[in-house]
Amino acid sequence: MTKYVAVAGKGGVGKTTFTALMLREMVRKNQGTSILAVDADPNANLNEALGLEVTSTISDLLEETKNPKAIPVGMPKDVFVEYKLQQSLIESHDIDLLVMGGPQGPGCYCYPNDLLRKYLETLGNNYDFVAVDTEAGLEHISRRTIPRIDTMFVISDSSARGIRSAGRVNDLIKGLRSAVGEVYLVVTKTAEGSLDLLRAEIEKTGLQLIGDIPMDPAVTKQDLAGQALFNLPDDAVSVLAVQKIIERAKL
């Protein structure tokens, strides 16, 4: 049965970094496991963290469906949309990737979104593991575009403001129509003593703290060089921290 995992949190807290390193660990730990990554954040950059090139997004392709002239004569609209959706899948040796893209323009997208939901549900069944890098508003989950979430990681940086934001994300999760299984808090960019100072704020969120990721010079160096975080060395502080979190979450 496919395992669905989502990563949530506001921008700038290390959400995509965690997602990339989680996927790195899943590849290392489970050789032969089929993995699909879904970048549902409008500020899409998971592909860069994974070292994959994106030529088009689902948002771009769905925009084409609004133009009747784009659909070949004699081809049903649903067949055209599904064909375009299949084109948006980026395939690689270890991980396949779908990029949702930015906000769509005016007009009704109910029909293509319904097809997208069905497509993702069908596509997801072909994989052992599906990881979703969500947007802060969790719209794709609330609209049930993503079929379900078995495990959710809520990411915060090591600031009181970040922890409070994570608490608000947790409130959003509780209000979703979609079923969400285990929900964990991960605190990033920590230094010695950070978690002790944040303990009271963390307790207020109602989230279970599953681990933290210390500040890692290797991540900064990789970013400055424009290199994929997926290729960080095995002994990088952040890589080792994410390994512990994945083990505790029993993924």
Side-chain angles (χ1 to χ4, degrees), residues 67 85 108 137 159 173 197:
N67 179 11
L85 289 172
C108 180
S159 69
I173 294 169
L197 294 173

Side-chain angles (χ1 to χ4, degrees), residues 18-191:
F18 175 81
T19 304
L21 295 183
M22 173 182 68
L23 290 167
R24 181 191 190 282
E25 174 62 9
M26 295 306 296
V27 170
R28 184 198 70 81
K29 182 179 177 183
N30 303 299
Q31 293 294 323
T33 296
S34 55
I35 299 174
L36 173 66
V38 179
D39 192 345
D41 192 329
N43 183 25
N45 58 4
L46 179 59
N47 66 295
E48 296 176 0
L50 296 176
L52 300 176
E53 182 179 354
V54 173
T55 55
S56 63
T57 69
I58 288 177
S59 181
D60 295 334
L61 297 175
L62 291 182
E63 183 69 23
E64 291 185 44
T65 67
K66 295 177 66 178
N67 179 11
K69 295 181 180 179
I71 303 175
V73 177
M75 179 179 285
K77 188 175 182 180
D78 59 341
V79 174
F80 175 73
V81 172
E82 289 181 23
Y83 168 71
K84 284 294 189 178
L85 289 172
Q86 184 62 42
Q87 280 189 323
S88 69
L89 180 64
I90 301 156
E91 297 176 284
S92 72
H93 181 268
D94 295 317
I95 297 169
D96 293 346
L97 174 66
L98 278 176
V99 179
M100 294 291 193
Q104 298 164 341
C108 180
Y109 281 86
C110 299
Y111 177 71
N113 274 331
D114 183 53
L115 287 176
L116 174 59
R117 183 184 306 112
K118 293 176 182 177
Y119 173 73
L120 285 179
E121 187 167 2
T122 302
L123 182 65
N125 290 334
N126 297 326
Y127 293 88
D128 300 312
F129 188 82
V130 177
V132 185
D133 186 359
T134 72
E135 82 285 32
L138 304 178
E139 289 184 20
H140 287 294
I141 298 174
S142 63
R143 292 200 305 259
R144 305 186 74 175
T145 306
I146 309 299
R148 71 174 190 278
I149 300 298
D150 299 304
T151 303
M152 170 80 82
F153 294 103
V154 181
I155 313 299
S156 170
D157 59 13
S158 55
S159 69
R161 185 180 293 110
I163 298 296
R164 291 167 191 159
S165 177
R168 290 190 289 271
V169 171
N170 190 35
D171 292 338
L172 284 173
I173 294 169
K174 291 177 181 177
L176 292 178
R177 292 177 297 166
S178 302
V180 178
E182 300 293 335
V183 182
Y184 300 111
L185 173 66
V186 176
V187 181
T188 66
K189 307 174 185 178
T190 57

